[in-house]
Structures are given as structure tokens and as C-alpha cells.
Amino acid sequence: MKTQENTPKMVCIVSLGCPKNFVDTEVAAGSLLCRGLGITGDAEEADLLLINTCAFIEPARKEATEEIRKAVRWKKKRAGREIVVAGCLNQWNGAADLRKRFPEVDLWTGIDAVERMGELLARPHLSAGTEISAVPSYLYDETTPRVLLTPGHYAYLKIADGCDNRCAYCSIPGIRGPLRSRSLKSVLAEARALIDGGVKELIVIAQDTTAFRRDRGEKNAAAKLIRELDRLDGDYRFRLMYLHPASVTDAVVGALADAEHLARCVEMPLQHIADRMLLSMGRKVGEKTTREAVRKVREIARCAIRTTFMVGFPGETGDDFETLLRYVEEEKFARLGAFCFSPEKGTPAAAFPHPVPRKTAQRRYERLLEAQNAISLAANRELVGKEISVIVDSVEGRGKGFGRTELDAPEIDNQIVLRKIPTGMKPGTFARALVRSAKAYDITADITAFKEE
């Protein structure tokens, strides 16, 4: 622990999980700085290690547990070090048992404590205990101190927290609490401030962005938000994540079609396509409506789709999986992720009969990704010799760097290796690039033109 007077306590932050959780980390960082604490990326010079956790599925909890173990080893190396474990893991229904396993942790905090993190950690010595609400209700707004921890040219814009969809397999409503939306005024005020601060790409996120303001009884609020974001002044684009196919209304599709600043690839997790699986999952829509939502987003809104699918859900037969596989091969989604069903304690699906053997689920997962690999390879090879639009994410020197197309969200999708980057070009520049070579998930391209700042 620092002994010099006026020397701030230094905090090293580890942020796990999704972009929605990452925004909580940024709010916590803002709270720390407002209370006079310092932030460092070097754990060895830190007095306190803050781990913001994810608990969505078992692999996420294993990652969080391993980070806690590493923190315990770090703590033992020097007297006075402290550990705080924050976030979703503490709202998970198995958290009490986990806390017993790690008595070395000085403080456990839940979602509602994120904006109070500076207050809690500024104490000279932490009092071992918990700061966890039974049902989270916290929601930040445009006035909340927040430190952007992304590169300066893109930022996440969280419009809501929690979820009311209650899919049979999902623990998020129990962890993050019920849906609670920010006001449209608040979201737009933050968006303007981010653009004025140099952000070129706003990534709009929530558990379900199309449910925006549904908790307030408002209709077509998501469509209105899309239109209002598109009307902002500046050289920017916004990326829409996590649309639910049940909420892809004509109003939403029309707003997407008209938006000039929209990155024309939206994230729409579908989870499956077989009717009986969608019904069992509690997805609110069946095969016909899901297919129609995909068609409208592609044909009317002119957007590519990034999606995710789940295999191995209880009761999934070989025929169900083959239906899914054929659908993926037919639709040729721009980007696709997949995962195996994980039974989450407290969710209805955890008690469903007819579980799929783990090896069977793994084989199905691998076949799905093999199909997507072939789709992605063919699509990328079609680009060779053509010019594409990119945003420059980093400049590494000697005319090289990395970027993304409109299809690619940062930290999730493909990166493009960029060459012939002009001297002085900065991250966040929108440019044109000529594709020289392509693999399934890698493209190399030469910068040919760009917008002058």
C-alpha cells in the first residue's frame, strides 16, 4: 500500500464478458477517478485489483474464477494488496458458494454498485463484505462520469439494461434484472457528446435493442431511436447490435432502410430455425416469422446480418440440426457465431428432458462452423481485386495497420490487414482499400483513398 501522503491508491481493472459489461467497467473507472484513485494497466504497480465479471454461461464463470485465482496469487506477493470482484458473477445464483471459496477477496460488489465504485474503493482499507442488490436496478445516463476504455474512434452506447424476454435457456434476466431503458433524450445527448469528442463509430447495445422503451409502454421507440441517431450532425456511423427477430417490426425495418449513417450489418441472434426448437427455447417467434424478419432486414433494409446459433438444446434431434445447417448454408450470413447449450441453474431449460450428449453437441457445433468457414472463404475470395470501404482501427507503422469493413464489429469479427497507409493517417479514418488476398477470416488490402480530416 502506498505510504506517501497524497499518493493515490492505484487500481488495475480486468474487464470480462460482453460490451454491455464493458460499459459498466468504464462507468466504474469514471467513478474511481472522480474519487481521486489512479488507474493502471500494470498489475504489479497496483494496490488494488478490480475484476468486473461475466456469468452468462459456464465458460464465462470459469474465466472469471481463473482471474480470481490469479488475483489471489498476485495479492500474496505484497502486503497490503486488495481484491474486489464486481459485476454479473455476484448476481448469479451460485455466487454465495463461490464467495466461500475465495476468502482472500476483500469486497464483492454487484451491478448496482458500479457508479459507487470510487466511493467503495477509496477507503484506506476495505472492509470484507458484499455490496450486492437482490434485483439490479441501476442504469447510467449521459451525466454519469465514464472513462472510454476503447480506442478513441469508437464507443459503446448502452441504451438499456436487463431483459424481459425470458428465453428458456437464459440466465440474464436473473443476473441483470428486468428491462430498464434510458430516455431517448439521454441517449441522444450522450451520442452527441461522443461524436463531438471524436468518436466515429457508435455501437448501440442492450440485451435487446429492439425492446427499447418497451418497459415504459412506448411503441416504435426503437425505430424512433434509429431515426434520431441518423439525424445527428457529424462524420460518423452507428452500428446496431442485438436485435430480436420478434421485434423486427415494419417501423424498425423502415428506419433501418432510411438511415444514412447506419453500418449496414446488424446483429440479430436467431439461436435456431427449427420450429420446435424455437418454441421450446421460448423465442416468441417460429420458423416462418424468423425467416421473414431475416428477409425484411436484408431485402428492405438492405442490411447484412451477423447472427448466433445454439446447438445441443434439450430435445434437439438430428433432423432439427440438419434443418439448421441447411438454413445456414442457404442464407449465407455475413458473420456467424455458434455455441453449445449450457444448462443454467434456475432457468427452465436446465430441467428439460432429453438432453443432447456433450459430444453430439460438439460435433454439431463443429459442423456449423465448418459450413460458415466455407461461406466466409467464398465471400472473401469474391472481394479480391475489388475496392471496399473500411475504417482504420490502428496504424502500426511502415505503412501497415488494421481495419474493419461495415460487416465487422470491433473485438468480435474479422480484421483487415491494411497496407500502403499514408503517413499521418489516424485511427478512425474512413477509407477505401483494394483487396489483394483473402482467407476465410483474413483479408489483406491496400489503402487507395481516404477522407481528409
Side-chain angles (χ1 to χ4, degrees):
M1 191 68 66
K2 298 284 191 299
T3 56
Q4 297 97 331
E5 191 174 351
N6 297 324
T7 300
K9 183 188 292 188
M10 299 299 294
V11 183
C12 181
I13 305 175
V14 176
S15 188
L16 306 176
C18 67
K20 298 177 287 292
N21 205 43
F22 190 75
V23 172
D24 285 358
T25 298
E26 294 180 322
V27 171
S31 176
L32 296 176
L33 293 182
C34 286
R35 284 284 179 160
L37 288 86
I39 297 176
T40 176
D42 184 358
E44 290 308 308
E45 69 177 23
D47 306 298
L48 192 149
L49 197 59
L50 170 60
I51 308 171
N52 192 21
T53 59
C54 175
F56 174 47
I57 53 178
E58 181 61 26
R61 294 192 293 272
K62 286 183 177 178
E63 181 183 24
T65 301
E66 181 54 35
E67 287 295 335
I68 296 172
R69 289 196 183 98
K70 288 165 60 177
V72 170
R73 294 193 292 270
W74 164 87
K75 181 178 182 177
K76 291 178 178 178
K77 290 181 180 179
R78 194 178 79 203
R81 284 178 168 177
E82 297 171 307
I83 303 171
V84 176
V85 177
C88 292
L89 190 66
N90 290 316
Q91 309 285 167
W92 172 59
N93 57 20
D97 291 336
L98 184 72
R99 288 194 288 271
K100 293 177 183 176
R101 291 169 51 191
F102 294 103
E104 299 90 349
V105 173
D106 297 279
L107 181 64
W108 304 81
T109 68
I111 290 163
D112 284 352
V114 61
E115 194 175 333
R116 297 173 49 233
M117 199 64 70
E119 170 194 339
L120 296 172
L121 273 56
R123 302 165 183 167
H125 299 284
L126 300 184
S127 300
T130 62
E131 290 280 344
I132 305 168
S133 302
V135 180
S137 60
Y138 176 74
L139 188 64
Y140 86 107
D141 62 29
E142 79 281 9
T143 67
T144 305
R146 175 184 170 196
V147 176
L148 295 186
L149 301 176
T150 52
H153 61 283
Y154 71 81
Y156 297 107
L157 183 63
K158 186 158 73 168
I159 63 174
D161 208 337
C163 186
D164 288 340
N165 287 328
R166 299 283 174 180
C167 297
Y169 52 83
C170 185
S171 60
I172 290 298
I175 291 174
R176 301 289 310 189
L179 174 65
R180 47 203 187 274
S181 303
R182 295 172 61 183
S183 69
L184 177 61
K185 180 180 179 181
S186 173
V187 173
L188 294 176
E190 185 180 21
R192 290 189 195 97
L194 291 169
I195 293 169
D196 290 345
V199 170
K200 298 294 187 179
E201 183 174 5
L202 300 171
I203 306 171
V204 183
I205 56 173
Q207 300 297 334
D208 174 3
T209 54
T210 41
F212 180 62
R213 303 294 293 176
R214 186 186 297 160
D215 52 315
R216 301 293 182 173
E218 296 181 21
K219 294 183 178 180
N220 297 324
K224 184 176 182 180
L225 172 64
I226 293 167
R227 293 189 182 279
E228 292 298 326
L229 285 173
D230 195 49
R231 293 190 179 107
L232 298 175
D233 294 328
D235 181 23
Y236 70 97
R237 71 184 183 195
F238 66 97
R239 183 179 299 279
L240 203 61
M241 307 285 279
Y242 314 120
L243 285 74
H244 194 296
S247 301
V248 178
T249 63
D250 289 343
V252 167
V253 172
L256 292 173
D258 294 341
E260 297 180 0
H261 290 91
L262 176 70
R264 308 214 75 81
C265 182
V266 299
E267 165 92 7
M268 185 163 64
L270 301 178
Q271 309 306 3
H272 218 284
I273 195 59
D275 241 343
R276 58 186 301 274
M277 286 292 95
L278 291 170
L279 177 63
S280 185
M281 289 177 175
R283 290 291 290 168
K284 298 183 179 180
V285 289
E287 178 178 350
K288 182 179 179 180
T289 303
T290 300
R291 286 180 179 270
E292 184 65 3
V294 169
R295 185 194 69 79
K296 288 181 176 179
V297 168
R298 280 182 157 170
E299 296 180 9
I300 301 175
R302 307 183 315 282
C303 290
I305 294 173
R306 184 189 190 279
T307 191
T308 54
F309 290 108
M310 180 192 300
V311 297
F313 190 77
E316 184 188 51
T317 65
D319 286 345
D320 293 327
F321 172 71
E322 293 299 331
T323 298
L324 172 59
L325 183 60
R326 284 195 301 273
Y327 182 63
V328 168
E329 291 171 339
E330 291 166 2
E331 291 293 338
K332 295 180 171 58
F333 292 99
R335 301 291 182 264
L336 183 147
F339 60 101
C340 296
F341 168 74
S342 173
E344 294 300 309
K345 182 181 177 182
T347 63
F352 281 4
H354 313 300
V356 175
R358 184 177 295 273
K359 288 184 178 180
T360 300
Q362 183 66 26
R363 284 196 298 271
R364 292 173 182 176
Y365 166 83
E366 291 169 357
R367 287 184 63 193
L368 205 61
L369 290 191
E370 285 173 5
Q372 183 61 24
N373 184 82
I375 291 166
S376 184
L377 179 60
N380 283 352
R381 283 178 173 172
E382 283 290 319
L383 296 175
V384 175
K386 298 178 181 179
E387 274 196 345
I388 58 174
S389 297
V390 301
I391 185 170
V392 178
D393 277 334
S394 67
V395 178
E396 307 296 322
R398 296 186 179 181
K400 294 183 179 180
F402 294 94
R404 291 174 288 114
T405 71
E406 280 192 277
L407 302 179
D408 301 306
E411 305 297 328
I412 299 174
D413 294 317
N414 306 352
Q415 274 194 323
I416 301 172
V417 177
L418 295 173
R419 306 183 306 187
K420 298 185 179 181
I421 293 178
T423 300
M425 178 176 277
K426 298 178 181 179
T429 301
F430 292 113
R432 300 286 294 174
L434 180 65
V435 178
R436 295 298 190 184
S437 64
K439 298 180 181 178
Y441 300 109
D442 295 302
I443 289 175
T444 298
D446 297 340
I447 295 290
T448 55
F450 62 97
K451 291 183 180 179
E452 298 280 359
E453 291 292 330

